Amino acid sequence: EDKVVQSPLSLVVHEGDTVTLNCSYEVTNFRSLLWYKQEKKAPTFLFMLTSSGIEKKSGRLSSILDKKELFSILNITATQTGDSAVYLCAVRMDSNYQLIWGAGTKLIIKP
Amino acid sequence: NAGVMQNPRHLVRRRGQEARLRCSPMKGHSHVYWYRQLPEEGLKFMVYLQKENIIDESGMPKERFSAEFPKEGPSILRIQQVVRGDSAAYFCASSPSIQILYGYTFGSGTRLTVV
């Protein structure tokens, strides 16, 4: 069965800390891995990763994919209270439209 | 561009009633996807529709659930005779084609509560 597992399920840190969120997957016909941020409403797109070892970066957020070990990490440096959200990882397979979603990591940043 | 619009934002139904959830895709998008999110769980695919066609309904329960995307108007997800287990957030997403390059654009969701 195709599955995506995220860890930790929840994480509480202080403002300014650096966090690393994990996403591992077991799917047939992997095509790409996507990260989303969800703040009590619609998930918003962060990154899409298709190639191993190439870091994607956007401000304080970065992500990388390891297709050999079947996982990705999402890093957030110098965290701010506005980073508090659920971070979702999803894997897209060759069917082109279906995404398999992880349960998310709930990140809480304390001031 | 107003983005993907879902309504209502919150819907409360008693057991046995019907729930109708609406989704208007982004302008120019003809592909609509419905997902369900239970508390503390990830999004689960339900159904994929194009205008007037259901392409894939493999994630939708065979009983009580139906979906449509008519030529005119929004896509509708219909749940008949709701039960407590149907309480969840239902998200709609849209894309301009089947070639999803950067993931979907999601609506803000409808939170269904069955009492």
Side-chain angles (χ1 to χ4, degrees):
Chain A
E1 184 190 344
D2 298 318
K3 63 179 180 181
V4 176
V5 179
Q6 291 186 246
S7 63
L9 289 180
S10 64
L11 185 58
V12 181
V13 300
H14 288 283
E15 221 172 2
D17 288 350
T18 293
V19 297
T20 299
L21 310 182
N22 303 288
C23 174
S24 63
Y25 61 91
E26 288 179 35
V27 301
T28 51
N29 303 316
F30 173 90
R31 189 176 182 98
S32 58
L33 186 144
L34 299 95
W35 283 97
Y36 281 80
K37 179 182 181 182
Q38 186 177 24
E39 298 171 89
K40 292 187 178 178
K41 48 184 181 179
T44 53
F45 172 79
L46 294 175
F47 298 112
M48 185 179 79
L49 303 150
T50 53
S51 302
S52 271
I54 298 175
E55 186 183 52
K56 292 274 182 101
K57 207 166 164 61
S58 175
R60 295 175 296 102
L61 278 66
S62 64
S63 184
I64 198 160
L65 174 68
D66 186 329
K67 288 168 75 174
K68 185 179 175 186
E69 299 297 328
L70 308 182
F71 77 92
S72 172
I73 59 171
L74 175 68
N75 273 326
I76 310 175
T77 59
T79 52
Q80 302 170 358
T81 53
D83 295 326
S84 295
V86 175
Y87 289 83
L88 296 166
C89 168
V91 170
R92 180 179 153 210
M93 300 184 293
D94 269 345
S95 66
N96 236 2
Y97 56 85
Q98 267 211 44
L99 297 177
I100 308 296
W101 294 82
T105 293
K106 184 173 183 178
L107 177 63
I108 297 173
I109 310 296
K110 287 189 170 181
Chain B
N1 194 334
V4 179
M5 303 300 292
Q6 286 188 251
N7 67 80
R9 291 292 299 276
H10 300 275
L11 182 61
V12 180
R13 284 286 177 266
R14 293 185 187 280
R15 278 179 295 171
Q17 290 184 319
E18 179 180 287
R20 278 183 175 242
L21 288 63
R22 294 174 188 78
C23 169
S24 296
M26 281 185 72
K27 189 176 180 181
H29 287 193
S30 59
H31 299 243
V32 165
Y33 317 82
W34 285 93
Y35 280 82
R36 176 163 67 176
Q37 187 176 36
L38 294 169
E40 310 301 324
E41 291 188 19
L43 293 148
K44 298 276 193 245
F45 170 79
M46 296 184 75
V47 61
Y48 161 41
L49 310 106
Q50 294 179 30
K51 283 282 187 183
E52 300 184 275
N53 286 305
I54 296 175
I55 307 302
D56 181 353
E57 56 183 348
S58 59
M60 199 159 65
K62 299 225 182 306
E63 296 180 357
R64 303 188 297 107
F65 285 71
S66 62
E68 62 176 11
F69 189 16
K71 189 176 179 182
E72 301 290 337
S75 175
I76 307 284
L77 179 67
R78 185 178 172 210
I79 311 172
Q80 295 177 291
Q81 299 173 344
V82 295
V83 300
R84 287 233 170 94
D86 297 331
S87 296
Y90 292 83
F91 288 95
C92 166
S94 71
S95 67
S97 72
I98 195 173
Q99 298 293 333
I100 301 169
L101 298 178
Y102 295 103
Y104 315 121
T105 301
F106 280 93
S108 296
T110 293
R111 297 189 187 279
L112 172 65
T113 302
V114 179
V115 297

